Structure formats: structure tokens, C-alpha cells
Amino acid sequence: MEKKGFHLANEASLVVSAGYTGLHGRAEYNAAVSHVFDLIIASYVLFNNRSYAPSVFLSITIFEEIAKIKAGHMRAKGAQNKQVKRGKDPLFNHGNKHKIAIDPITLSGQRVPNSIGSERAREIIEGYGSGNYSSLREESLYFSRNTDGLHIPSKSISLTLAAEHLLISIEIFSDEFWGMTSEASEVCDRTDEIYLNIEAVLKGN
């Protein structure tokens, strides 16, 4: 049976690897949240410049970094956490991080469905939950040439897909970190205007 995001998040919280020992104190937690905010800004800049493929790649990276904070930040306090090699650490697997971040419970509010439609929101959530959408990470960044022909990311990644991913990344970011610390809440509040701007572009497309 395939593991759900919350199962993977729990597993990730109970282990520690040399590659990620957790976040050591409030200052590191706030710094990690600010780093994710910087990625949101970068994805937004790319989106506004109509560089939709790299914007999608950064939005997916945002999912992954959120998962690392969400599931792993307490590792520093877990003296009894099981030591594992990097290859066995759930937070060094792209698909696992996507499942941890894009949790149906986290996205159970109405903001994203109101922005992109309920059916589309459910399709994206289920796509990452099953792992089918995780291939977008590479498809949005790398060109390929197979028997079907040449694939160039900029030719296949649309404004709509980029907007959907950035809106979801902002929603997860705010849901996970608002209220955790005053600094994190302040940063989360700064994404509201970005969200509204992206939504306006999407609905006007």
C-alpha cells in the first residue's frame, strides 16, 4: 500500500541523517522560512517575466523545502531519532517531499479551489499524492529528445500551470507557517498580495 503524505511526514520526523539534522532553534527556523519566501519571490518574478517553465520548477522546489521544514525541523530535539543514511532519509526523495507538502488536509480550505476550480485543485493534489505529477519537476527544467520528439520546457509549460503551482505553493506556505513564530507570520502576510496578483492574471487569461 502506497504511503500517504502524513505517514511519510511522521517517518521523516523520527529519523535523522548527516544531510539534515533538523533546525537548531528559532533563528534557524525563521531563516528557513525566509528562504522559502525568497523562492516564492523568485518564482513570481519568473512568472511575471513569462518564464513559466522555471517558475513551475521553483514552485515545486518550494513544495520540497516546505516539506523539509514541516517534517524535519524537530529532528534537532530528537536525541533518540534513528540515524539513517541519506538514501534512506525520506526528505532526500523528491516524490516523498511532494506528498508531505501537498497534503489534502492542508489544502482543504476554499482559497485555492476558488482560484483554480475545485476539480483542478483535486486533480493536482491527487497527482502529487500518486506521484504522477512529480515528473513535472524535470519536465519544467530539462529538455529531452525521445522517440516522440524534442521536448523543450518553455514550449509545454503554460501560464495556467505556472499560476496554479505558485498559488498552491503560497497557500501551503501560509497554512504551514503562519502563527508558528511572529517572524514567520509576518513573512506569510507578505504573500497575500502576490497571491491576489497571480489569481488576477490567471482569471484574466
Side-chain angles (χ1 to χ4, degrees):
M1 184 176 179
E2 196 158 3
K3 294 178 181 178
K4 301 293 185 182
F6 61 88
H7 291 132
L8 291 167
N10 181 62
E11 287 183 9
S13 71
L14 298 176
V15 301
V16 64
S17 69
Y20 186 33
T21 61
L23 297 174
H24 299 250
R26 181 187 181 112
E28 288 194 2
Y29 182 91
N30 287 331
V33 172
S34 292
H35 159 68
V36 180
F37 175 73
D38 289 342
L39 294 178
I40 290 173
I41 296 298
S43 181
Y44 181 50
V45 169
L46 289 167
F47 179 83
N48 283 335
N49 287 335
R50 300 183 180 180
S51 297
Y52 302 126
S55 176
V56 168
F57 178 79
L58 275 185
S59 291
I60 295 172
T61 303
I62 291 163
F63 299 159
E64 297 177 3
E65 296 292 75
I66 288 172
K68 284 165 61 181
I69 301 173
K70 173 183 177 179
H73 77 275
M74 291 296 289
R75 287 179 173 185
K77 296 185 179 180
Q80 303 303 316
N81 281 21
K82 181 183 177 182
Q83 289 277 347
V84 297
K85 294 182 179 179
R86 178 187 174 111
K88 296 293 185 180
D89 188 337
L91 296 181
F92 283 96
N93 178 287
H94 297 301
N96 286 344
K97 288 185 285 188
H98 301 162
K99 291 178 183 180
I100 291 170
I102 306 176
D103 190 323
I105 297 173
T106 302
L107 292 169
S108 60
Q110 291 303 305
R111 188 159 77 149
V112 168
N114 287 342
S115 299
I116 71 175
S118 298
E119 288 188 13
R120 181 56 178 155
R122 183 167 55 252
E123 181 182 347
I124 292 173
I125 292 168
E126 291 176 353
Y128 279 105
S130 67
N132 291 335
Y133 267 46
S134 290
S135 61
L136 278 173
R137 183 182 183 278
E138 292 194 0
E139 292 171 8
S140 63
L141 188 65
Y142 303 110
F143 85 86
S144 64
R145 178 47 167 105
N146 55 29
T147 54
D148 295 324
L150 180 66
H151 165 77
I152 300 294
S154 63
K155 303 298 183 183
S156 60
I157 302 295
S158 66
L159 178 155
T160 298
L161 189 65
E164 290 168 343
H165 275 69
L166 192 45
L167 290 172
I168 290 173
S169 71
I170 290 172
E171 178 69 1
I172 297 171
F173 178 77
S174 295
D175 191 81
E176 290 292 346
F177 304 131
W178 197 94
M180 296 300 290
T181 67
S182 58
E183 295 89 343
S185 296
E186 182 179 343
V187 171
C188 289
D189 287 341
R190 293 167 63 188
T191 65
D192 288 340
E193 183 177 356
I194 298 172
Y195 188 100
L196 292 173
N197 290 342
I198 299 164
E199 182 185 53
V201 172
L202 177 62
K203 290 188 174 182
N205 183 37

